[in-house]
Amino acid sequence: MAKYLVSFPSAAMQVPEDEMQAVSDDSHAVIEEAKTAGVYVFGGGIDESAPPVLVAADGTFTEGGYAWAPSLDGGFLVLEVPTRDAAIAWAARIATSCRCAQELRVFMFDPQS
């Protein structure tokens, strides 16, 4: 089975404040269904209150991420499913519950990690 990354940037969440609790409840319900189905690997979001640190190959570090790259933020979920179609179906359920589009990518899992 392959692993898939389902993600969205923070800016994609254009949900009115009074709907946020429903979004939270609905998305957590889908996560629980994924856990019950045995396809959930892990999930979470980037803590945007903590700025990134860029650590160089020599071990030195600077505040901030890659200057040339877009900001990395939002939510992430890794699922392990048998087919791309199954991954798309789960991503659609997440998109519906979060009320925003989700990006789906094959997650190149390293079994030695």
Side-chain angles (χ1 to χ4, degrees):
M1 287 204 296
K3 291 181 176 55
Y4 290 85
L5 173 68
V6 182
S7 64
F8 66 92
S10 294
M13 288 284 297
Q14 299 293 319
V15 178
E17 187 61 37
D18 64 334
E19 293 180 31
M20 284 305 289
Q21 186 60 54
V23 169
S24 178
D25 294 346
D26 292 351
S27 63
H28 286 116
V30 175
I31 297 301
E32 286 304 315
E33 291 172 24
K35 288 177 179 179
T36 299
V39 300
Y40 179 87
V41 177
F42 69 89
I46 299 296
D47 180 352
E48 295 176 40
S49 71
V53 174
L54 187 63
V55 181
D58 66 2
T60 60
F61 65 93
T62 55
E63 295 293 325
Y66 287 106
W68 51 265
S71 177
L72 180 62
D73 57 21
F76 302 86
L77 172 67
V78 175
L79 302 172
E80 185 172 35
V81 294
T83 66
R84 183 174 186 265
D85 288 341
I88 291 169
W90 278 104
R93 294 176 72 185
I94 295 292
T96 299
S97 69
C98 289
R99 281 94 162 155
C100 71
Q102 303 289 307
E103 191 170 86
L104 180 67
R105 297 174 183 264
V106 176
F107 188 82
M108 294 178 56
F109 178 70
D110 178 357
Q112 295 181 342
S113 65

